[in-house]
Amino acid sequence: MSLTVDDFDFPLPPELIAQHPAAERRGSRLLHVCGEQLVDRQFADLPGLLKAGDLLVFNDTKVIKARFFGQKDTGGQVEIMLERIVDATHAICQVRASKAPKAGSTMRLADAFTVKMTGRAGADGDFFALELLEPGDFWELSERFGKLPLPPYIEHPAEGADETRYQTVYAREPGAVAAPTAGLHFDEAMLDTLRQQGINTAFLTLHVGAGTYRPMRVEKIADHRMHSERFEIPQTTTDAIARTRANGGRVIAVGTTSLRALESAGNPDGTVRVGGAETSIFITPGYRFQVVDRLITNFHLPKSTLLMLVSAFAGYDNIRAAYAHAVAERYRFFSYGDAMLLERSADAA
């Protein structure tokens, strides 16, 4: 298939973009996509759609307070969104300002600390490299002075409730600047129910970067270059996947971030390599999945790389039909919206 970005467009009424989460984490809807079959459910139905011996793989990254406001040394206003913290005194970020800062210029952030912009960063030079110019470290400063980085399509500033709800209940490894949103639907009670039913759980870490919101700037998807993200898969998770495979269970990725990490570390026999690495994997229709059997995910933006990923997983025509159905049935879209359970297409195996 020679696909263009326009092949992944769809009409979305703005009022379907969820601005706040459901009253309860499990209170969202769930669209089950099994080939051409579409079934409207509630997320609370999920345990009944799994079986003992299945394995849910979660991303335990934790969102940091990555947004800062400040002033350039020229006096102009600036907004900084960290892409990732490299080490205590170095970070990569996006910059919003009337004019992009020049290499060597300084910025005073949150009226609390000063950084120097040392140059461009990222595969396409879309990001900026920062150096901290005074005692302290970016981890501590982000927690003290940063703002929670809600996605650009959520129109209200981060509120007290967002501090909890834009974070999974199992988040424990700080480093993401966007939440792995499929996991937002799980609460502790559901996790307990799943374990009681013999459904196993495992964790990996992929720190989601701000590049996840970057629009595609090419016409042909083959010309796109993905941003890179860091992931870590522990031995306990690779062992759990191997046991699941040996016992005939299914590996279910909770979110596209978990899927991208698993497929990046996957082997042709369905096993997964242990350890950490960078991934810039770009999954599009025609990709053959090695590890993941089912995927739990939210609804994604038009023309986005994640819409291409789910189209590769469940089938291009099936996803187009599922999204048209979701719009017609008034599902809620994006980070605070509803969820999907996708069965892997036979063509993707």
Side-chain angles (χ1 to χ4, degrees), residues 16-18 20-22 24-31 41-43 181-182 185 296-300 323 326 329-341:
L16 296 186
I17 300 173
H20 298 275
E24 296 181 357
R25 287 184 182 269
R26 65 170 72 185
S28 59
R29 299 166 72 187
L30 178 70
L31 178 59
R41 299 184 181 274
Q42 298 297 313
F43 197 84
T181 54
H185 304 284
I296 298 169
T297 185
N298 282 20
F299 292 91
H300 303 292
Y323 271 60
E329 295 297 321
R330 312 295 288 178
Y331 276 71
R332 301 168 75 244
F333 277 69
F334 306 161
S335 295
Y336 274 156
D338 295 316
M340 310 174 79
L341 172 61

Side-chain angles (χ1 to χ4, degrees), residues 270-290:
T271 59
V272 173
R273 298 182 296 277
V274 68
E278 294 278 334
T279 182
S280 56
I281 189 171
F282 184 23
I283 296 176
T284 60
Y287 179 87
R288 295 294 179 262
F289 291 83
Q290 301 183 121

Side-chain angles (χ1 to χ4, degrees), residues 34 91 95 116 163 175 191 198 203 206 277 295 298 326 329:
C34 184
V95 175
K116 180 170 70 173
E163 301 279 346
L191 294 174
F203 296 87
L206 184 145
L295 172 64
N298 282 20
E329 295 297 321

Side-chain angles (χ1 to χ4, degrees), residues 86 189 318:
V86 178
N318 297 335

Side-chain angles (χ1 to χ4, degrees), residues 15 20 26 60 65 100 208 224 241 243 277 317:
E15 66 270 17
H20 298 275
R26 65 170 72 185
D60 66 2
K65 296 178 180 177
V208 191
H224 179 67
I241 291 169
R243 285 194 303 271
D317 290 335

Side-chain angles (χ1 to χ4, degrees), residues 213-231:
Y213 302 123
R214 188 176 66 175
M216 297 184 69
R217 298 170 180 166
V218 298
E219 179 181 351
K220 296 179 180 179
I221 64 174
D223 296 335
H224 179 67
R225 298 177 66 188
M226 284 287 287
H227 61 285
S228 180
E229 294 170 318
R230 179 79 181 172
F231 71 89

Side-chain angles (χ1 to χ4, degrees), residues 5 16 68 170 209 225 236 288 307:
V5 174
L16 296 186
F68 297 88
Y170 47 80
R225 298 177 66 188
T236 52
R288 295 294 179 262
L307 183 55

